[in-house]
Amino acid sequence: MSSTKIFKGDIVFTTTPERFTLIENGFIVVVNGKVDNVYTVLPETYKNFQITDYSNKLIIPGMNDLHCHASQFKHLGMAMDKELIPWLNDYTFPEESRFKDTEYSKRIYGKFIKEIWKQGTTRIALFATVHKNSSMDLIELFINSGLGAFVGKVNMDTNCPPYICETLESSLEDTEEMIIKYKDRSSLVKPIITPRFVPSCSSELLKGLGELSIKYNVPVQSHLSENRNEIAWVKELFPALKYYGDVYNKFNLFGQTPTLMAHCSFSSDEEIALMKENNVMAVHCPSSNLNVGSGMMPIRKFLDNNIRLGFGSDISGGHTCSIFKTMVYAIQVSKLFWANSNKEISFLSNPEAFYIATKGGGSFFGKVGSFEKDYEFDALIIDDSNLNYANYTLEQRLERFIYVGDDRHILHRYVSGNLIEEPKGIA
Ligand code: GUN
Ligand code: FE
């Protein structure tokens, strides 16, 4: 049976990075969870339909977080005093090793999912840990929540402490088991192949993961060119390959199926060209890059080269799950490039940042992140009445909410047309 829902409010979305589409007091007609049309005046045909009235509230697309480690949630806002490799060894690997215990992992994952719900994230790409059972629990949690997610069991079989290191065989077997179990279970929650990064994977593991990605047509996520020492290490490990991304590419993990690469702070022109050719999405994680002291991603270069872009919170390198705050950090970092280039490299505009957070990142999940026809109705209802003054334009209201608003202003969240209540966790 077909279901039609009509929402009324102050609508903002982007169809292109250049400008907002703004409809004050407008209507969104949603049929079977997908946008059918957006109107300034509701046509007569709908005169007997019930309307969900969000007058004076903002209706915007949900936030998409394209890179996040659910397993690092307990370290949010801590342990910021080391750069990437020592940070992993001294803080992150010991914490992730605790996820062998599924009682512990359920507790942390339960808190994590409530937090991202609270912050207005409606779809997310996640790293779990190497542990199969707790990774599968994380998938179940997302299925129960109604939020959208790609969930990756992390793969690592070398250059890591024994308490968190897999064998080649178990890493591949566990990954395949999870793919088989969950690839068709849910339209919103799916597995994703997740080599941690090149240094923690043997060539055999990378080869096996590339084969699995093609065999089951499963997407891939990893880290790329995040930190200078890490890049030098990859060069030592694979001296014959031209650049970092070339390693993933050699093993069919670089766009052979849909692929997310987080950071790309130091990607060479060649690496960027291959991302373009292979339709690999770059995920900008400015909060993490600042906290872990990794570097600054030159986002304008990626936009100029038409590379697909999304934002990532990268918890717990990043210290906030809010993609709104991530937008602000991205704009601020882009202003450093602007200032340092004698204003030659233009900084991110508000519609550009908003586009990346919504339609740009959303494209990894299908038709997600806009209110154009046939897009999934993923939306946030924002009550900005205590932020807003009578003479503000709709665009100014949105800007102010992004900069100084928070979860208290988010009234409701929708995914694929369904109202999503606060996740309960699993028993
Ligand atoms: N590179 C490999 N693992 C990680 C991680 O957990 N966080 C970040 N920021 N970079 C990584
Ligand atoms: Fe990361």
Side-chain angles (χ1 to χ4, degrees):
M1 212 182 67
S2 158
S3 108
T4 301
K5 293 179 186 168
I6 303 175
F7 300 91
K8 180 178 185 209
D10 296 330
I11 301 162
V12 188
F13 61 102
T14 44
T15 62
T16 73
E18 284 79 35
R19 70 192 64 83
F20 289 116
T21 302
L22 301 151
I23 307 166
E24 223 153 345
N25 257 314
F27 299 86
I28 306 181
V29 174
V30 175
V31 178
N32 295 334
K34 295 190 167 71
V35 176
D36 186 62
N37 216 331
V38 177
Y39 299 100
T40 42
V41 177
L42 195 64
E44 274 292 295
T45 359
Y46 297 112
K47 72 172 190 287
N48 293 326
F49 283 66
Q50 203 193 333
I51 293 172
T52 307
D53 191 354
Y54 294 132
S55 289
N56 304 316
K57 318 260 183 312
L58 302 171
I59 307 181
I60 64 173
M63 293 295 111
N64 301 296
D65 184 346
L66 277 290
H67 182 82
C68 181
H69 301 259
S71 51
Q72 297 170 17
F73 184 60
K74 196 165 165 232
H75 279 188
L76 196 68
M78 290 166 56
M80 306 292 194
D81 58 346
K82 298 197 179 183
E83 70 164 292
L84 182 63
I85 305 302
W87 176 83
L88 286 171
N89 284 317
D90 296 350
Y91 302 129
T92 307
F93 292 158
E95 171 59 18
E96 288 191 16
S97 73
R98 301 184 67 180
F99 285 68
K100 185 175 191 312
D101 170 1
T102 52
E103 286 312 308
Y104 181 74
S105 62
K106 274 184 207 168
R107 204 147 44 84
I108 303 295
Y109 285 153
K111 286 181 198 277
F112 168 79
I113 195 169
K114 280 178 202 267
E115 178 65 16
I116 62 144
W117 171 87
K118 205 167 99 176
Q119 299 298 341
T121 294
T122 43
R123 312 246 181 180
I124 192 162
L126 283 173
F127 282 53
T129 59
V130 291
H131 311 99
K132 176 184 71 180
N133 291 335
S134 56
S135 301
M136 296 204 286
D137 285 345
L138 185 57
I139 293 198
E140 297 285 346
L141 260 177
F142 268 90
I143 292 175
N144 291 346
S145 75
L147 297 168
F150 283 108
V151 177
K153 188 207 92 64
V154 172
N155 301 99
M156 42 204 287
D157 74 337
T158 185
N159 293 319
C160 48
Y163 59 80
I164 200 169
C165 200
E166 304 174 285
T167 64
L168 168 67
E169 294 73 24
S170 71
S171 187
L172 290 173
E173 275 167 24
D174 289 355
T175 304
E176 187 163 19
E177 183 184 330
M178 215 170 119
I179 291 170
I180 292 169
K181 184 158 177 198
Y182 287 107
K183 71 184 170 58
D184 300 317
R185 253 288 287 287
S186 154
S187 59
L188 284 171
V189 186
K190 295 190 174 294
I192 182 165
I193 290 181
T194 307
R196 181 171 207 116
F197 67 155
V198 164
S200 59
C201 300
S202 65
S203 301
E204 296 75 21
L205 180 56
L206 291 169
K207 178 168 177 287
L209 293 175
E211 286 166 2
L212 286 177
S213 78
I214 288 170
K215 179 173 174 192
Y216 295 104
N217 192 25
V218 177
V220 170
Q221 63 178 352
S222 194
H223 297 91
L224 179 67
S225 300
E226 175 178 4
N227 160 296
R228 287 199 167 95
N229 287 351
E230 170 215 18
I231 296 168
W233 194 12
V234 171
K235 189 75 206 160
E236 264 172 46
L237 293 167
F238 290 92
L241 294 181
K242 283 183 286 191
Y243 44 88
Y244 196 152
D246 204 19
V247 182
Y248 294 125
N249 192 48
K250 176 181 156 74
F251 295 110
N252 292 322
L253 295 163
F254 207 65
Q256 288 73 17
T257 61
T259 300
L260 298 172
M261 284 290 155
H263 302 296
C264 313
S265 302
F266 302 102
S267 291
S268 62
D269 290 348
E270 267 184 302
E271 188 162 272
I272 292 175
L274 187 62
M275 294 180 82
K276 170 76 188 147
E277 193 179 321
N278 291 9
N279 207 21
V280 169
M281 186 184 283
V283 186
H284 182 27
C285 308
S287 168
S288 167
N289 295 158
L290 293 164
N291 291 329
V292 192
S294 298
M296 304 197 298
M297 188 230 216
I299 199 162
R300 179 61 57 198
K301 201 163 161 182
F302 286 79
L303 283 165
D304 288 348
N305 281 285
N306 285 317
I307 306 295
R308 292 174 67 190
L309 275 166
F311 286 133
S313 63
D314 195 21
I315 300 308
S316 63
H319 66 275
T320 173
C321 292
S322 165
I323 294 301
F324 295 107
K325 292 298 165 273
T326 306
M327 270 186 235
V328 174
Y329 294 128
I331 292 169
Q332 291 175 328
V333 168
S334 76
K335 284 179 178 166
L336 294 176
F337 278 102
W338 175 74
N340 288 342
S341 69
N342 206 13
K343 305 180 195 175
E344 276 182 19
I345 300 173
S346 58
F347 55 79
L348 272 190
S349 69
N350 292 335
E352 282 175 333
F354 193 80
Y355 177 92
I356 293 166
T358 56
K359 192 174 173 182
S363 68
F364 199 75
F365 301 91
K367 282 195 149 187
V368 168
S370 178
F371 296 145
E372 290 158 78
K373 188 172 171 54
D374 294 332
Y375 271 69
E376 306 279 338
F377 184 68
D378 285 19
L380 303 177
I381 313 300
I382 313 286
D383 180 356
D384 65 332
S385 49
N386 70 353
L387 293 175
N388 153 11
Y389 289 86
N391 64 340
Y392 282 7
T393 63
L394 192 43
E395 196 165 339
Q396 287 171 328
R397 283 171 58 195
L398 178 69
E399 180 176 21
R400 189 152 149 109
F401 165 70
I402 291 170
Y403 272 81
V404 302
D406 60 40
D407 58 280
R408 289 169 295 183
H409 300 104
I410 306 177
L411 263 192
H412 297 298
R413 298 106 180 119
Y414 287 86
V415 173
S416 292
N418 294 314
L419 183 66
I420 308 297
E421 303 292 350
E422 182 170 1
K424 291 191 190 63
I426 38 177

